């Protein structure tokens, strides 16, 4: 069993708020992250997959295929987008980094199985000081 | 003459577009950066000031004061904000990194002179691959 | 179960030595780290906590509260201090990165439980080439 | 149980190919990594060992000894070398990052046991976007 | 006058040697960098251009065009290549980072003028500890 | 004319204070940096030299010689030392990063001339947020 990690990046806008909260409560709970005019981040996404090394190629997975898959299923939906308004798999969810990491896992899990590997971890870095890791349920 | 650089960070949303362009032309010129629903970045700001070392303190400027000034005049106006909609010194300007660097210079130049130093460079990093430097006119 | 990591930083002086060793033995075992005049580091601390996402906020924990707790219980005691002389939870212990990581764990474990999460890992980076991870006993 | 990680670096040339494949098939499977004239990387190696802290020294292992061991058994064999042609423990193997990580594990496992610790992970970073982790079988 | 910098990356193999030196002299002058079996690096290239901001777009240059130009004229010729054997603009030159930076300048200078800007600096980073800057003659 | 930069690192303890100030005044002017029990940093030093490329070797200077010189004249005197108490070229000076950068310049200027190059810049990074640059008088 070996683990390979691919990093991809995207830039997006979001805000944290609940429509059933007043503006005051949103500000109290979410602080400046609740700004109705949005803010944004350079997100770094680290996708770790695990499996056996193919003795013929010496690869766990072909990294070009893994990168293309992540770009197709995740980056293309998130890059230069508004996470609250435009990302199908985040519809109706709070646009927190936690929920985003879980959403990305769900987008990737079956697709990576088709590459012959197993999704191990989605790590999502929102800033140099904060990141989320999700290993599935 | 010695140079000291202080790094500060902010997260903000923006878009690149001209209201006098059609949507098609905005997309052609500015690409996905023109998304009407905004996107955003983790910006890194490097402010370089120059001057003589004070023989009493060994300091060019007191870094706490320099940091407080940058936070007060620049970061507080930009962090978790929408650059197009909410930043007074960017009002009526294209929200490009170039214009933002020049705007930050104008916010800081006189203030830094009051600290007894001279603003030398505003460097603004929008992503790990792109940054702007402005040294004044 | 999801994991969130918060990075905080501190600068401190320390030395590695045993008072029951001769100077020669301290130098032999600890090398230049035993310098009686101290040396120091920019430490990076990564605190990882785990738990369930709150469906109301989309948060595992409120990062502002987590950051404030780490600053109050750990960074405030270590930043710009001498680890051998001034840090209550290191009193009587060798000021190694290993012992410091364990000490930080003990400072944080109960406090993080009060935030409704569970401390998972204390990672302490002493230089770009060396770091310690502690996951509890 | 505590974990300590030491980073070391090496620069090397390699290519990915199978001698039993045609040039066309090598290009199809391995892309530009199959260039017969070689290419190369700045590799970063992170070796993580685990064990108990020695109450006398406060150390898990002496980092100087760990670093010297990694340099002697691994870096000295790889740095400024051609992985396909000159590295004994890679002889007859595909020069993939996966196989290289496993080969480094095998070079280090017993040696680290002699230091009184246990090898936990070999992490090998080939670029800022890709890395392999191996935890033994 | 404003400055914009674009980072691009490439991986390549090379060696430092003179065919008119003996193997011993090559080893004495160039050390392990003279290994006849090659070694390689992950190079980081920073291209800085300067000029006036276009008041219509807020851009100094269109970064997509700048990136495409660098990839076309430089990265495509260097990435996954052998600098000594395969790079037209390095033919007959010592494959040092110094010469490579000058060669990249010559490939880019006129092309960047056609974008309406002026090449200011080619910075080439061979490792985390070494980099070259060239500002033209 | 070309520029080459070599990075070296050192860890050291220091404090900022004036013996002719009261403890209160030292705390007021220098803050927690005046802690009488010291604190410390991982300093990064970037030494930039300039000159012509030697057409025979393709080198501006031999990087091994440049690195050895910096280690001999600067790093060996600073690493794992107390800047206030143990560094000859800082004797009687405030141990600020500004003064340290100037002191390092004076240690290196003539030595680098003997290598056939010219010292251009000493950059000294005290933390990820602060650095000093000195280009000579």
């Amino acid at each position: 069993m070996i683990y390979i990690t691919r990093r991809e990046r995207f830039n997006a806008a979001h805000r944290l708020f609940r429509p059933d909260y007043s503006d005051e409560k949103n500000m109290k709970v979410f602080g400046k992250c609740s700004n109705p005019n949005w803010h944004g981040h350079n997100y770094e996404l680290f996708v770790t997959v695990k499996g056996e090394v193919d003795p013929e190629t010496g690869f766990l997975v072909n990294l070009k295929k893994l990168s293309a898959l992540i770009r197709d299923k995740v980056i293309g939906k998130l890059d230069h987008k508004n996470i609250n308004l435009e990302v199908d798999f985040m519809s109706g969810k709070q646009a927190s980094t936690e929920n985003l990491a879980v959403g990305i896992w769900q987008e990737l899990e079956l697709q990576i199985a088709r590459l012959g590997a197993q999704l191990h971890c989605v790590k999502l870095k929102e800033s140099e000081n904060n990141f989320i890791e999700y290993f599935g349920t």
Side-chain angles (χ1 to χ4, degrees), chain A residues 19-31:
Chain A
D20 57 332
Y21 281 9
S22 66
D23 287 357
E24 291 72 25
K25 188 162 182 191
N26 274 314
M27 180 55 69
K28 185 160 174 282
V29 175
F30 300 111

Side-chain angles (χ1 to χ4, degrees), chain A residues 3 5 18 27 31 33 43 48 63 66 90 98-100 102-103 132 135:
Chain A
Y3 297 74
T5 299
R18 286 184 64 94
M27 180 55 69
C33 295
Y43 291 90
T48 303
L63 262 181
L66 178 59
M90 291 301 289
E98 287 90 334
N99 284 344
L100 191 50
V102 173
I132 293 289
F135 298 86

